[in-house]
Amino acid sequence: MPSVADVSEDQVLDALEAEALHVYREVAGAFRRPVLLYSIGKDSSVLLHLARKAFYPAAIPFKVMHIDTTWKFKEMIAFRDRVARELDLDLKIATNHAAVAEGITPFTHGAHEYTRIMKTVALRQGLDELQADCAIGGARRDEEKSRAKERIFSLREPGHRWDPRKQRPEFWRTANTLLAEGQTMRAFPISNWTEFDIWRYIRREGIEIPDLYFAKPRPVVEREGTLIMADDDRLPLLPGEQPVMKSVRFRTLGCYPLSGAVESIAADLDTLIAEMLESNVSERAGRLIDGEGSGSMEAKKAEGYF
């Protein structure tokens, strides 16, 4: 039997890819109205690539949905629209328009409440509108503690509520996809991948990702040790603040006022991967929505957050 040291990078990625393709095909066979969640980041770019592989040469057999808070990086939205056009995706944009009309922003309601209103509520609204019985997401178990509790097929109770105590056992590759009245499912094809696997797969497959992941001079302000990019003129500057140009990149993408940049010179994939291997900081450390206590993400997920 070969040792772990004998297993090549391609063998690891091949095994992870095969599992993800199996999950996709299981979803297509078990559910009537599945929806692929597309956040535009590196993980969802891999997720989209895998969906295309799973059903090639046919088109992806379900809708793709993006939760647009209206506060994403401009580059992300341009990237989303171009990819949807080039791949002819059946793209659904879900936005909490009532909250937008009320003037809710990351600055008026705080990171946690803003995320609940603009992401969780919008996600529930979008899934309900499409009558989706399964939402396919790009969460990975290595991201943080509550996501480590997820199953690949993760049951949601009525109202999209997640209860970790009611998750079904995973027996080998046999999935229990039966739903009772009001229940839905979340499926996570890349659940067993690590951040390192994601980057190696992107490099191997030549997957295009937003340029925000690579270092370049960008205007940022430093707030409580976090570098926030001044992506447009909606960012309110505090007394004495003035954006300065620094060579930065992002390890995770979301709403720009809540996404911290890291100083970096990694302008290509090889340098980025090498830099990541030397880091001892979590990729989600720059996500300000995660910095409200160890139960913050679990509370969000219980309300329906992906």
Side-chain angles (χ1 to χ4, degrees):
M1 178 178 293
S3 67
V4 173
D6 295 328
V7 178
S8 71
E9 174 180 315
D10 277 336
Q11 287 175 307
V12 172
L13 295 180
D14 286 344
L16 291 169
E17 179 188 75
E19 179 182 60
L21 300 185
H22 169 77
V23 172
Y24 266 120
R25 292 162 184 161
E26 187 76 20
V27 168
F31 299 100
R32 293 184 300 165
R33 293 180 296 275
V35 174
L36 173 61
L37 304 179
Y38 179 54
S39 70
I40 318 172
K42 66 183 188 305
D43 295 327
S44 65
S45 293
V46 167
L47 207 62
L48 185 61
H49 179 82
L50 289 164
R52 297 177 67 209
K53 266 199 168 185
F55 305 106
Y56 184 82
I60 299 173
F62 32 74
K63 295 182 184 298
V64 177
M65 186 167 71
H66 175 236
I67 308 303
D68 190 350
T69 65
T70 73
W71 283 89
K72 302 296 185 183
F73 292 92
K74 295 191 298 290
E75 287 185 42
M76 292 177 66
I77 300 304
F79 185 90
R80 177 200 70 189
D81 292 345
R82 180 171 58 78
V83 167
R85 183 173 60 254
E86 291 176 355
L87 301 183
D88 195 25
L89 300 179
D90 188 358
L91 180 66
K92 163 72 175 178
I93 309 298
T95 299
N96 187 341
H97 293 289
V100 172
E102 290 176 23
I104 292 173
T105 75
F107 312 105
T108 60
H109 285 65
H112 180 83
E113 182 65 2
Y114 164 82
T115 299
R116 184 189 70 80
I117 296 170
M118 298 305 296
K119 292 187 177 181
T120 304
V121 173
L123 174 61
R124 295 196 308 242
Q125 291 173 343
L127 293 176
D128 288 343
E129 182 179 336
L130 295 176
Q131 297 183 306
D133 51 4
C134 181
I136 307 158
R140 308 188 322 268
R141 286 173 173 151
D142 75 321
E143 288 184 272
E144 55 86 50
K145 293 179 180 178
S146 70
R147 285 186 167 164
K149 298 178 182 179
E150 284 281 19
R151 303 290 193 266
I152 290 178
F153 285 90
S154 180
L155 187 67
R156 292 299 192 270
E157 298 299 329
H160 306 282
R161 292 180 297 105
W162 177 68
D163 186 345
R165 298 169 299 179
K166 294 185 178 180
Q167 298 309 301
R168 295 164 176 172
E170 290 180 333
F171 294 117
W172 299 281
R173 293 295 178 263
T174 302
N176 181 350
T177 57
L178 296 178
L179 298 175
E181 184 69 27
Q183 291 179 332
T184 57
M185 193 71 74
R186 303 282 172 90
F188 300 108
I190 59 172
S191 188
N192 290 324
W193 297 48
T194 67
E195 183 188 13
F196 188 38
D197 296 326
I198 291 291
W199 283 118
R200 293 192 302 174
Y201 190 73
I202 287 171
R203 179 171 60 184
R204 186 181 85 168
E205 300 288 302
I207 299 171
E208 186 181 7
I209 55 174
D211 194 48
L212 290 159
Y213 283 111
F214 300 105
K216 65 187 295 186
R218 295 183 169 99
V220 296
V221 296
E222 183 172 348
R223 291 182 182 172
E224 299 180 359
T226 300
L227 296 175
I228 303 297
M229 179 175 161
D231 195 49
D232 57 39
D233 59 9
R234 293 180 296 170
L235 181 69
L237 298 177
L238 302 178
E241 275 189 342
Q242 184 65 36
V244 297
M245 299 299 292
K246 290 189 176 184
S247 178
V248 300
R249 64 179 180 87
F250 294 86
R251 289 182 67 184
T252 180
L253 298 180
C255 299
Y256 82 81
L258 302 178
S259 301
V262 294
E263 293 194 67
S264 171
I265 60 169
D268 58 75
L269 271 175
D270 289 336
T271 310
L272 186 153
I273 291 172
E275 190 175 274
M276 186 200 76
L277 289 174
E278 295 177 358
S279 173
N280 58 4
V281 178
S282 165
E283 70 181 293
R284 296 187 70 89
R287 284 218 173 183
L288 302 189
I289 64 169
D290 294 348
E292 299 182 1
S294 60
S296 176
M297 178 61 77
E298 186 153 339
K300 292 181 179 70
K301 286 168 60 61
E303 294 176 346
Y305 190 66
F306 61 88

